[in-house]
Amino acid sequence: MKYKSVFDIIGPVMIGPSSSHTAGAARIGRVARSLFGRQPQWADIHFYGSFATTYKGHGTDVAIVGGLLDFDTDDERIKSSLQIAEQHGLSVKFFVESAVTDHPNTVKIRMGDASGDMELTGISIGGGKIEVTELSGFELHLSGHHPAVLVVHQDRYGAIAAVSNILSAHEINIGHMEVSRKEAGKMALMAIEVDQNLDDAVIEEMKQLPNITQVARVVD
């Protein structure tokens, strides 16, 4: 395995005790918050594997909720996130699941408000690093460590090229891109990681494209 920096080995600056169970969990929660686009009113958090057996002792519960409140891994408020969530009108429920998953540090977050809901599955792979593996039924591999944009679209000819052309026109380099679809010709999802944050003008330009139904930005 190649490391880009010492932080890939020792983990991020964080509220402890565990880079996998605390920092990684906070990042999963924060990515979920970013994709949802606002603070949810409720969240059902399902823990699997090692998360399910140790989440209280390792602070995985407070870390996930801290992320949903948009707290970074080193934010001292994570320690009080359950109380802060209650104060902010965020109702949280935790569920311990016995199903066997592909990775031991797996969490599924169902969250929503009066305007809509979303489901996200994430894994903490060590050193504070994460992957988002599912979003509302679409499979994907989103690291959460780079700026990204998720584009829900009709599975039509030219949709991917049109989005790519906008990024190229704004001199934005694509680091990773994948497309997931549930059925040919129906809804599909583009997950694109880029080298710099996307400004509002780029996002709005994408939203105006034909066959595009939703554009969500993930800020690094």
Side-chain angles (χ1 to χ4, degrees):
M1 177 181 288
K2 294 181 179 179
Y3 298 100
K4 294 182 179 180
S5 76
V6 67
F7 293 105
D8 291 340
I9 303 172
I10 65 175
V13 178
M14 65 176 188
I15 302 299
S18 168
S19 60
S20 294
H21 287 218
T22 314
R27 281 180 167 166
I28 292 171
R30 199 174 189 208
V31 167
R33 160 69 178 256
S34 178
L35 292 175
F36 193 60
R38 56 196 183 276
Q39 181 186 294
Q41 293 178 341
W42 59 267
D44 293 343
I45 300 171
H46 301 256
F47 291 122
Y48 298 83
S50 179
F51 271 0
T53 57
T54 65
Y55 76 92
K56 288 187 177 180
H58 284 181
T60 309
D61 50 354
V62 297
I64 289 277
V65 175
L68 293 179
L69 293 169
D70 204 26
F71 300 162
D72 206 348
T73 56
D74 61 348
D75 195 317
E76 290 285 343
R77 293 175 294 175
I78 285 178
K79 299 175 183 178
S80 304
S81 63
L82 300 183
Q83 294 78 14
I84 296 173
E86 185 176 358
Q87 294 167 5
H88 287 194
L90 170 54
S91 174
V92 181
K93 296 180 181 178
F94 298 104
F95 300 87
V96 174
E97 305 291 353
S98 59
V100 177
T101 55
D102 292 336
H103 194 282
N105 299 332
T106 298
V107 60
K108 178 178 290 186
I109 304 172
R110 292 187 61 250
M111 53 195 287
D113 59 16
S115 299
D117 58 69
M118 186 187 81
E119 181 176 286
L120 175 146
T121 300
I123 60 175
S124 179
I125 60 177
K129 291 183 174 294
I130 68 166
E131 288 184 4
V132 178
T133 60
E134 183 269 340
L135 179 65
S136 297
F138 291 102
E139 294 183 2
L140 71 159
H141 298 89
L142 185 67
S143 72
H145 288 271
H146 302 283
V149 60
L150 299 183
V151 182
V152 180
H153 62 99
Q154 294 289 332
D155 185 26
R156 298 288 189 272
Y157 176 83
I160 298 172
V163 171
S164 299
N165 287 340
I166 288 177
L167 294 175
S168 177
H170 288 272
E171 299 183 346
I172 297 169
N173 191 49
I174 296 174
H176 174 78
M177 179 177 182
E178 61 182 58
V179 179
S180 175
R181 64 184 185 183
K182 299 177 183 178
E183 184 180 349
K186 303 295 184 180
M187 298 303 295
L189 174 70
M190 282 181 256
I192 309 170
E193 291 188 338
V194 294
D195 289 345
Q196 66 257 44
N197 288 323
L198 305 178
D199 60 31
D200 292 340
V202 177
I203 298 299
E204 289 302 317
E205 195 171 340
M206 290 182 180
K207 289 180 178 179
Q208 300 307 313
L209 291 172
N211 300 313
I212 302 300
T213 60
Q214 183 181 358
V215 181
R217 172 174 48 195
V218 183
V219 179
D220 184 24

